Amino acid sequence: MTQQHTVALIGAPSSVGGLPVGSDIGPARLREAGLVARLRQVGLEVSDFGDVPVPRHHLRGGYRSRFANTESVARWVAKYAWRAIAQDMVPLVLGGDHSVAMGSIAAAAQSVPGLGVVWVDAHPDFNTPETSPTGNPHGMALAVAAGLGPLPLVRLMGYTPMVHPERIVILGARSIDAGELDNLRRAGVQVYNSEYLHDHGVRETVGEALAHLADAQVRAVHLSIDLDVLDPAHWPGVSTPADDGLTASELVALVDAVSQMAPISSMDLAELTPAEDVEGATTEAAIQVAEHALASLVRQAIDSPGRGSPVGASAA
Ligand SMILES: [Mn+2]
């Protein structure tokens, strides 16, 4: 029996890669808020793999040990996600800070032919230790996946890059550091910022982004959601808010469009910071995003496997 409509829930309760801390409580908050039941209600099977091990007392370390701890968490995430994909499940990695994506992308890149990345975030996370104003590894996660950054991280699975930069698109960015912008331009990563999304419309922009990935022979996407892509005026539950973000309905429309136009092999839901989420709006938005992104797996399991067709070809 196919398990393509089975979601493997993987908690990564770690803020080793980001400051301020607090996103380490994210997975527990999402489970308490009923994430598993909500996913089952839309027809998905859920296999909860539990939480990956996280180094204890991790915040006592200095700069170097933060990178070592980030690597450790990413390796565990990669192991869990790899095991899920090997069983034909779709891993949903709950951050935790966004550096957990280094692990999920490493696993997906190794296992999924023609993988591309759709990175939805207020920040491109394309810094290197040389360009980063803060030194926080979560601001380097996508650069690491594209082969830029400290050697142990970029070679997490033994080869680099995990994903070629032409197979990466960024949606919703609006806070980009100067050196980071240089990195993006040199690498040739396509960025659709929040202004572009608002000017052209969510569905149109997703269509363009996926057409760009189709040109690079992408056949399945890793969807990485940083909840700080939302506007902090109404959805404040993140560690590094940036003004003028997306509404929850825009983000839901965005993941709906992605899931209708491309097979999703794997997904991250990162940076939920419960202490900042005073009325729970960010938690609720996160759950809706997961439901809408993954409900397409049920359709694919019923209609057809959906594998092997180029992305963007089945807009639906
Ligand atoms: Mn991020």
Side-chain angles (χ1 to χ4, degrees):
M1 185 189 128
T2 179
Q3 294 197 299
Q4 282 166 9
H5 60 309
T6 301
V7 175
L9 208 61
I10 298 169
S14 161
S15 344
V16 297
L19 286 174
V21 299
S23 61
D24 48 319
I25 314 298
R29 181 76 196 99
L30 287 165
R31 286 197 177 96
E32 284 160 16
L35 174 63
V36 172
R38 295 273 296 271
L39 292 174
R40 288 185 175 140
Q41 275 165 24
V42 297
L44 292 159
E45 310 223 352
V46 181
S47 176
D48 194 341
F49 281 26
D51 290 346
V52 303
V54 170
R56 298 171 84 184
H57 310 303
H58 57 257
L59 296 169
R60 290 188 191 157
Y63 190 75
R64 198 189 323 161
S65 70
R66 291 188 62 209
F67 277 96
N69 286 329
T70 296
E71 180 187 347
S72 167
V73 173
R75 280 189 186 284
W76 278 110
V77 170
K79 281 175 195 157
Y80 279 47
W82 185 86
R83 190 154 59 87
I85 296 168
Q87 294 174 69
D88 249 344
M89 299 181 187
V90 172
L92 171 58
V93 174
L94 310 176
D97 77 74
H98 210 173
S99 69
V100 302
M102 298 174 187
S104 48
I105 293 175
Q110 195 185 46
S111 318
V112 179
L115 187 78
V117 173
V118 176
W119 192 266
V120 184
D121 198 329
H123 315 85
D125 295 346
F126 216 80
N127 270 301
T128 55
E130 295 73 32
T131 65
S132 169
T134 63
N136 288 331
H138 71 162
M140 309 176 193
L142 187 56
V144 162
L148 280 73
L151 202 57
L153 290 176
V154 298
R155 294 188 65 87
L156 209 58
M157 296 303 260
Y159 58 86
T160 183
M162 299 174 194
V163 178
H164 193 280
E166 73 182 7
R167 289 181 159 187
I168 296 172
V169 292
I170 298 171
L171 297 171
R174 55 194 183 272
S175 173
I176 307 180
D177 302 313
E180 184 177 40
L181 187 58
D182 288 342
N183 289 343
L184 287 164
R185 286 187 173 143
R186 262 201 300 271
V189 174
Q190 195 77 23
V191 180
Y192 303 86
N193 62 24
S194 53
E195 195 183 344
Y196 191 93
L197 270 164
H198 284 135
D199 288 351
H200 292 77
V202 167
R203 206 174 168 81
E204 180 66 29
T205 306
V206 170
E208 277 182 44
L210 291 177
H212 175 79
L213 293 182
D215 286 346
Q217 309 302 313
V218 167
R219 304 181 95 74
V221 302
H222 174 86
L223 177 60
S224 195
I225 307 283
D226 187 323
L227 290 161
D228 70 21
V229 76
L230 289 166
D231 196 297
H234 297 281
W235 300 275
V238 297
S239 67
T240 50
D243 288 342
D244 300 321
L246 272 56
T247 65
S249 358
E250 286 172 329
L251 181 54
V252 163
L254 188 156
V255 298
D256 269 337
V258 173
S259 74
Q260 286 161 10
M261 297 182 207
I264 294 174
S265 66
S266 40
M267 179 174 174
D268 313 309
L269 203 49
E271 298 281 352
L272 177 66
T273 304
E276 306 296 330
D277 194 24
V278 279
E279 288 170 2
T282 318
T283 303
E284 172 58 24
I287 293 175
Q288 285 181 22
V289 164
E291 287 174 328
H292 281 258
L294 298 172
S296 62
L297 304 176
V298 180
R299 293 196 300 273
Q300 287 167 14
I302 293 167
D303 298 343
S304 72
R307 294 201 167 173
S309 51
V311 301
S314 56

